[in-house]
Structure formats: structure tokens, C-alpha cells
Amino acid sequence: KNGGNFDVDADDRPVAGPEPVTRPPYIVAADVKGAFDSIPLAALERVASELVGAGEYSVSRLARVVGGAAVGVRTKTRRIAAPVAKPGANTTRAAPLDEIETEDETARGRRKGSKRIERKIGGGVIDLANPIAVHKDQVLELLREHLRRNVVRSGGVYLLQTTGIPQGSVLSTLLCAVFYAHLEQTHGLRGKSPSDCTGEKVLCRWTDDLLHVSFDRDPAE
């Protein structure tokens, strides 16, 4: 106190907060009606086939071991596929990583994969060795069979599904997400690139659920 006045220390002064929002945002939450049932199979097969970039894949089996003497030991096996490059392939050009990996890099990829699994779920991961080679044509044939040869039963009659993908399949959620991500890119819903989320707008999607936030009405509409 000095002459009836209080001296205010600089550290005790109020801290300025964020500036008030002058433009209210436009928030759109929606979901795609019949997202799984309405996907055209020919377009989905073309989009998914583009993701199979390597000519051959090395498929390894990894065993996850968790638990102990007190609660018992549980083991679960999963498979991890790593792309393999042909011997003597030209790697000087600018190419995707899945086109230039070598056998040694494939082995390192398996070890990194097992470490990621171990960090995520705990316990230990064992490489069961003896990987098998799967050719690109085999992968595409399995994909085609999954999409084109799905038979459903309705009213005692067996029908071949010609549009949409089965929701009970282990691949359906992944294939659905891949297809709608392709639509976002081709129609510019995310901007020039998938990472082009500026401060003016942002689009988030979880399979068939969408959330769009922007400060302008036109992108929201």
C-alpha cells in the first residue's frame, strides 16, 4: 500500500483470454444412409485393387502371449503381410515404399510390427517363422471373391448380392472406409489433399458417420 493506493504486481494482473468468437461456426453431423448396402461393387473393386501395390507379399504369423502363472496364459495368433520387391528391381526411381522394399526390409517390417503389437496390448509377441509368399493375383482374386460371390438367404431362397457389401464380414468396415475416403479425395471434400484441413473448415469421418465444421455456410451446405 502506497499513499492509499495499492501497487499491483505484474504477475498478478489478469491474463488475457482468447478473443471472443465473432463468426458462429456451421456444424453438420450426418451419416450415410445405406452406406454398406449402396456401394457399387465394380467401383469398390477398382479402388481397393489400387491399394495392392506390390507384386508379392510375405505373410508371417505372430503369436501374442499374455497372462502368467496366477491367471493363466492366453495365446492368440494373427498374420501380418509385408510387401516384397523382386530381386534386382530398379529402386533409383521415385516409387512408393511398397515397391522398393527388399527381403531384409521385409524382415525388419515384421519385427517392427511385432513390437507395435507388444506395445499396444502388452505381453509378448513370438514370430512363428516360416512366412508364406502370396502373389498379387491371389490377393486380387480373394478380394474379387469376397465382393462378387456373397450369397444371402431370404425367405428360403438363396440370392447372389450384386450391390453393396456384407456388413458381417471382417473386411466390410475397412472396405467401406476405403471407398468413402476415395470419394472425399476425388470430389474435393477435404480440399486439395487429405491433410488440407485449414482453420476455416474441417471434415472428420468414422466409416459412415460424418462431422463437418466450417465458418462459411457454402461448404456446410
Side-chain angles (χ1 to χ4, degrees):
K1 185 174 180 179
N2 184 11
N5 298 323
F6 288 93
D7 293 332
V8 180
D9 192 351
D11 294 337
D12 297 331
R13 295 172 183 172
V15 178
E19 296 182 0
V21 176
T22 57
R23 292 188 300 166
Y26 292 88
I27 301 176
V28 179
D31 65 331
V32 182
K33 183 178 180 180
F36 290 83
D37 301 332
S38 59
I39 295 179
L41 295 182
L44 174 58
E45 183 177 343
R46 182 176 63 255
V47 172
S49 298
E50 294 175 355
L51 300 180
V52 187
E56 186 177 353
Y57 292 85
S58 176
V59 181
S60 304
R61 296 171 63 239
L62 299 177
R64 177 188 58 154
V65 181
V66 296
V71 297
V73 177
R74 293 179 298 162
T75 303
K76 185 175 182 180
T77 304
R78 65 178 297 182
R79 290 177 172 85
I80 291 182
V84 179
K86 294 181 179 180
N90 181 15
T91 60
T92 58
R93 62 184 177 88
L97 290 178
D98 59 0
E99 295 182 5
I100 62 175
E101 286 189 357
T102 64
E103 286 287 351
D104 291 339
E105 290 169 337
T106 302
R108 288 198 295 269
R110 291 200 303 268
R111 290 196 296 271
K112 290 180 180 179
S114 64
K115 290 181 180 179
R116 285 196 297 268
I117 296 173
E118 188 173 355
R119 285 197 301 267
K120 182 177 179 180
I121 61 179
V125 177
I126 303 174
D127 189 344
L128 300 180
N130 297 324
I132 61 174
V134 179
H135 195 269
K136 177 179 180 178
D137 293 340
Q138 295 175 272
V139 178
L140 296 179
E141 178 60 28
L142 289 173
L143 175 63
R144 190 174 299 110
E145 180 178 359
H146 178 78
L147 295 177
R148 301 285 189 170
R149 301 175 187 174
N150 182 53
V151 177
V152 295
R153 184 178 179 180
S154 177
V157 179
Y158 291 92
L159 303 172
L160 180 65
Q161 186 173 359
T162 58
T163 304
I165 53 180
Q167 295 191 41
S169 167
V170 295
L171 290 179
S172 293
T173 301
L174 175 61
L175 292 174
C176 183
V178 166
F179 182 76
Y180 286 108
H182 175 75
L183 287 182
E184 292 171 2
Q185 288 185 282
T186 54
H187 292 278
L189 298 179
R190 286 184 177 269
K192 298 180 180 179
S193 67
S195 60
D196 185 15
C197 294
T198 65
E200 298 295 325
K201 62 179 180 178
V202 62
L203 172 66
C204 302
R205 178 180 51 80
W206 298 267
T207 309
D208 57 345
D209 295 317
L210 305 172
L211 178 64
H212 185 274
V213 181
S214 65
F215 284 109
D216 295 323
R217 183 166 182 167
D218 291 341
E221 292 181 343

